Amino acid sequence: MTDDSAPKQDRSRATRRRLLETTIRCLARHGWEVSTVAFIAAEAGISRGAVQHHFRTREALILAALEHMFEERAALLDALPDPGGADPDRVHAVVTGLVDAIGGELFRAALQVWTVAAADPELRSAVVPLERHFARGVHRRAVRLLRVDDTDPAVRGLIQATLDLARGLALADVLTDDSRRRARVVRAWSDQLAAALAASVPD
C-alpha cells in the first residue's frame, strides 16, 4: 500500500505558498477593500473552501501573508554576498540591498494593512509585533553587512536613519516609480554614510 501523505503535504504547502503570495499581490495592486477572501481565492485559482481550510479568517490570511513575505525578504538579505571592494562601494551595495528589500510590492501591501490597522485596535495589536520583528531583523542584517558595532549610539542612529530612508523611498514610489531619482538619493546617502562610519572608527 503506497503512502501518499508526503505528496499531499507537498501539494498543501504549495497551495499555501501560492495563496500567501497572491494575497500580497492583491493587497499591493487592488487594496484592502477589494482583497476579500473570495477575490484572493479567485486570483489564486483556489476554491474559497480551500482557503478557509488553511485560514479561518481574512485577517489571519493577510497576517500570514505579511509574515511569509517578511521572511522572504529577510532571506534575500541573508543571501546577499558580503560586499567586497572599497568602503564607499561596499556601503552603497548594502544600502541598495536594504532599499530593495524594504520597498516594492511587499511595502505596498503592508501599507494597505497599516492604514486599516491604524483605526482597528485588534488588527493593530497583531500587526505591530510583526512589523517590529521584521524591523529588528533588517537592522541586525544591516549591521552585519556594514561590519559595524551598533552598541555605539551614533552608529546605531546611522543604521536607523538608513532604514528610515529606505521606508521613505518606498513610500515615494507608491504613486510614481522614479528609479533614477531613487538611485541618486541612495548614492548620495551611501557616500555620507560611508564617511560617517569611517569617522566613527577609533584611530
Side-chain angles (χ1 to χ4, degrees), residues 6 49 70 80 83 96 103 111 131 144 148 153 157 173-174 185 187 192 196:
F70 285 162
L80 286 175
T96 298
L111 185 61
E131 163 61 18
R144 175 179 60 80
V148 294
D173 283 346
V174 168
V185 171
R187 171 56 74 180
Q192 293 185 51

Side-chain angles (χ1 to χ4, degrees), residues 76-87 89-91 93-94 141-148:
L76 284 177
L77 287 175
D78 286 339
L80 286 175
D82 190 10
D87 279 359
D89 290 336
R90 179 169 54 80
V91 170
V94 173
R141 289 166 174 86
V143 169
R144 175 179 60 80
L145 290 166
L146 289 168
R147 304 177 196 162
V148 294

Side-chain angles (χ1 to χ4, degrees), residues 6-164:
K8 284 182 179 179
Q9 290 174 355
D10 289 343
R11 287 195 298 273
S12 179
R13 282 192 292 267
T15 297
R16 187 178 191 276
R17 183 182 184 89
R18 183 164 81 252
L19 182 57
L20 296 176
E21 291 174 350
T22 301
T23 300
I24 292 297
R25 186 171 66 252
C26 288
L27 284 167
R29 298 180 183 179
H30 304 288
W32 177 274
E33 293 298 329
V34 172
S35 298
T36 61
V37 170
F39 183 82
I40 293 169
E43 289 290 300
I46 299 170
S47 71
R48 183 168 180 171
V51 175
Q52 292 175 329
H53 171 73
H54 288 277
F55 302 100
R56 294 183 62 185
T57 66
R58 178 195 189 196
E59 288 72 17
L61 168 60
I62 288 173
L63 289 172
L66 285 179
E67 185 171 12
H68 169 71
M69 291 307 294
F70 285 162
E71 291 171 354
E72 291 283 297
R73 292 303 175 93
L76 284 177
L77 287 175
D78 286 339
L80 286 175
D82 190 10
D87 279 359
D89 290 336
R90 179 169 54 80
V91 170
H92 180 252
V94 173
V95 173
T96 298
L98 292 170
V99 168
D100 290 344
I102 289 174
E105 191 170 68
L106 172 60
F107 182 87
R108 292 192 295 273
L111 185 61
Q112 292 289 327
V113 180
W114 295 336
T115 302
V116 175
D120 183 334
E122 186 174 349
L123 181 60
R124 184 169 65 248
S125 68
V127 169
V128 168
L130 193 61
E131 163 61 18
R132 284 178 178 164
H133 177 72
F134 177 64
R136 285 195 297 268
V138 173
H139 185 101
R140 286 195 303 271
R141 289 166 174 86
V143 169
R144 175 179 60 80
L145 290 166
L146 289 168
R147 304 177 196 162
V148 294
D149 177 9
D150 75 335
T151 59
D152 181 337
V155 171
R156 189 171 185 83
L158 289 168
I159 299 295
Q160 190 58 54
T162 302
L163 300 182
D164 288 345

